Amino acid sequence: MDCVFCKIAKGEIPSKKAYEDDSVLAFYDLDPKAPVHILIIPKRHIESVMEITPENSGIVAHLFEVAAKLARENNLTEGFRLVANTGKDGGQTVPHLHLHLLGGRSMKWPPG
Ligand code: AMP
Ligand code: ZN
């Protein structure tokens, strides 16, 4: 499958890794939108939030556990933002489920 994040998960495209285990990979965004900007993905291809089912939703809890660990490791003690852009209106550009961990500056609300 021609999916850039599947290729990153397999090591076919290089990335700067922040965390890895059997089912999850976290790596630094190429075009950071905050001082800390890490993408957290399941290694297995899931297209978006809309493809989460009772059978595969365990990975979602794991993505959040990794987000909390990375937030601690990056000293984001004042807080951070987790984002899962979904579909066209959500601004999703890579059709492989990912959480953006954004921190190190104050975030605006509502987002643009
Ligand atoms: P989204 O727009 O929510 O789908 O987020 C996709 C993110 O992936 C963007 O923030 C891109 O900067 C980032 N991105 C795309 N290709 C790569 C890559 N090869 N390595 C790291 N980050 C990437
Ligand atoms: Zn994929």
Side-chain angles (χ1 to χ4, degrees):
M1 193 193 301
D2 200 26
C3 169
V4 60
F5 286 1
C6 280
K7 288 182 178 169
I8 288 175
K10 289 184 200 144
E12 294 170 7
I13 292 175
S15 66
K16 187 180 168 203
K17 288 177 192 174
Y19 174 83
E20 182 170 21
D21 64 28
D22 286 348
S23 57
V24 168
L25 177 68
F27 55 96
Y28 288 86
D29 198 292
L30 267 187
D31 180 18
K33 307 294 190 296
V36 176
H37 188 173
I38 297 172
L39 300 172
I40 307 164
I41 68 168
K43 288 187 170 178
R44 200 192 127 187
H45 185 82
I46 298 173
E47 188 163 317
S48 79
V49 167
M50 294 308 289
E51 307 303 319
I52 296 168
T53 66
E55 288 70 39
N56 68 17
S57 62
I59 195 72
V60 177
H62 193 29
L63 296 176
F64 275 78
E65 286 172 31
V66 172
K69 173 183 163 62
L70 289 169
R72 273 193 294 276
E73 288 176 2
N74 284 274
N75 301 312
L76 301 180
T77 52
E78 300 302 312
F80 54 88
R81 184 163 290 173
L82 289 176
V83 175
N85 294 328
T86 303
K88 184 167 78 69
D89 278 2
Q92 183 176 9
T93 60
V94 177
H96 181 129
L97 181 66
H98 51 283
L99 282 182
H100 295 257
L101 171 64
L102 296 150
R105 67 170 171 80
S106 180
M107 301 291 154
K108 292 186 174 54
W109 190 263

